[in-house]
Amino acid sequence: MSKMSELSAVLDALIECGNKLTQTAEELRSFYCTNEPTQKSEETVPQKSVSLEDVRAVLAEKSRVGKTAAVKELLRKHGADKLSDITPSEFAALLEEAEVL
């Protein structure tokens, strides 16, 4: 093996070692420091659940500003004629669509 090949292999091992060290440090930080989430831990944290009241407040405001027809169409799109008939699993998607109106 030539000196350049050996150097390249050592550098590859060093880079891999550094990557593993960084990964370990991030995991330790996310385990011990809950007030400083890393970018990786933000991806694994589930989103806040959306309540019926959250959706109702947004839809009511949209209706107040004259978008009642669009609100009713959103409800139909999610399989219901009224908000109370919508399943809680649909709340987040419905809220996201309603905020765009």
Side-chain angles (χ1 to χ4, degrees):
M1 186 178 263
S2 72
K3 295 253 184 211
M4 292 305 287
S5 296
E6 287 180 38
L7 179 60
S8 179
V10 168
L11 290 174
D12 288 342
L14 184 60
I15 290 170
E16 182 180 338
C17 208
N19 290 338
K20 289 185 184 215
L21 183 59
T22 301
Q23 179 184 7
T24 303
E26 288 175 352
E27 288 175 7
L28 285 171
R29 175 184 286 158
S30 68
F31 183 76
Y32 288 109
C33 301
T34 57
N35 60 351
E36 293 184 86
T38 62
Q39 184 178 12
K40 191 172 188 178
S41 66
E42 288 175 6
E43 295 171 1
T44 59
V45 174
Q47 291 182 337
K48 175 189 158 201
S49 63
V50 178
S51 70
L52 175 66
E53 291 77 22
D54 295 334
V55 178
R56 180 172 282 136
V58 171
L59 293 180
E61 181 58 32
K62 296 297 180 178
S63 287
R64 265 187 237 112
V65 296
K67 297 185 178 182
T68 304
V71 168
K72 287 182 180 181
E73 184 58 36
L74 267 180
L75 292 174
R76 278 189 226 105
K77 179 181 175 186
H78 286 272
D81 290 324
K82 55 186 180 179
L83 182 58
S84 59
D85 292 339
I86 295 198
T87 60
S89 63
E90 292 286 317
F91 288 168
L94 179 59
L95 183 62
E96 187 176 305
E97 291 176 36
E99 289 173 344
V100 177
L101 290 179

